[in-house]
Amino acid sequence: MKEINISTTFLAYDSITDLSNEIQSLMNQAIEIRKKAYAPYSKFRVGAAILLDNGKVVLGSNQENAAYPSGLCAERVAIFQAGAIYPDAKILKLIITASSDNNPTLAPIPPCGGCRQSIAEYEFKQDTPIEIYFMGESGEVYKSNSIANLLPLSFDKKYL
Ligand code: THU
């Protein structure tokens, strides 16, 4: 028997003003699309901005449904849209912001497990890491250099 330890690393920034102009611009686009989320049930709004290596930015917001499981998270709306429109482009950065209509959301909100699995699929596909930044409605921003920090020991195509 042996113990296996997996550690992950994130950077924490006090606010978006500590980020580069490029990331601030992407975060501002994620904030704007977040405000247009279709979230009548949870009142929890999420916005995602993806920067591709062809310079294009693809945005997404969560889309809910009266049949709750039929809705989709912002990250997957954005990443599937990017995969559909630019199937050969690599995803360089994914920027996420979340807010609630009910309470202040000031802590960084990480992507859910299902979204992590979807992001991992694209990172494996392109074989280069995706930088991920996530924030609440404002405040601290966490950065990961790869989905591997958010989803260690992930399942992927090599097991199939
Ligand atoms: N949501 C996202 O869009 N991304 C996540 O990573 C977590 C949750 C959405 C799904 C649902 O519309 C609402 O937030 C509450 O779970």
Side-chain angles (χ1 to χ4, degrees):
M1 197 274 277
K2 62 177 176 181
E3 188 176 88
I4 299 170
N5 286 301
I6 300 174
S7 67
T8 70
T9 304
F10 295 87
L11 292 177
Y13 297 86
D14 287 342
S15 98
I16 57 169
T17 53
D18 292 344
L19 300 166
S20 67
N21 289 342
E22 180 187 50
I23 303 299
Q24 285 190 47
S25 160
L26 290 163
M27 186 61 90
N28 285 329
Q29 293 178 72
I31 291 169
E32 287 312 306
I33 202 80
R34 182 191 83 203
K35 294 175 185 166
K36 298 180 194 158
Y38 178 58
Y41 306 106
S42 72
K43 314 283 187 202
F44 193 78
R45 300 172 186 278
V46 185
I50 286 175
L51 177 67
L52 300 171
D53 68 350
N54 62 11
K56 302 285 184 188
V57 176
V58 178
L59 305 175
S61 65
N62 52 324
Q63 300 295 313
E64 297 188 348
N65 195 285
Y68 289 6
S70 299
L72 197 59
C73 293
E75 296 89 327
R76 275 179 279 178
V77 169
I79 212 162
F80 294 162
Q81 171 86 331
I85 302 182
Y86 304 108
D88 301 323
K90 289 190 176 189
I91 296 167
L92 301 179
K93 297 169 201 295
L94 168 63
I95 284 73
I96 306 161
T97 171
S99 68
S100 166
D101 294 350
N102 299 324
N103 331 291
T105 307
L106 301 174
I109 306 291
C112 79
C115 287
R116 294 179 198 202
Q117 184 67 31
S118 292
I119 298 162
E121 180 69 24
Y122 290 87
E123 196 171 285
F124 289 124
K125 175 184 168 228
Q126 67 186 37
D127 201 25
T128 52
I130 299 173
E131 275 182 18
I132 303 168
Y133 294 79
F134 50 97
M135 183 180 81
E137 63 185 87
S138 60
E140 242 190 333
V141 182
Y142 282 4
K143 176 193 175 190
S144 166
N145 289 325
S146 159
I147 190 64
N149 294 319
L150 283 155
L151 191 66
L153 209 65
S154 58
F155 177 80
D156 65 73
K157 63 186 178 184
K158 73 175 174 291
Y159 299 115
L160 293 176

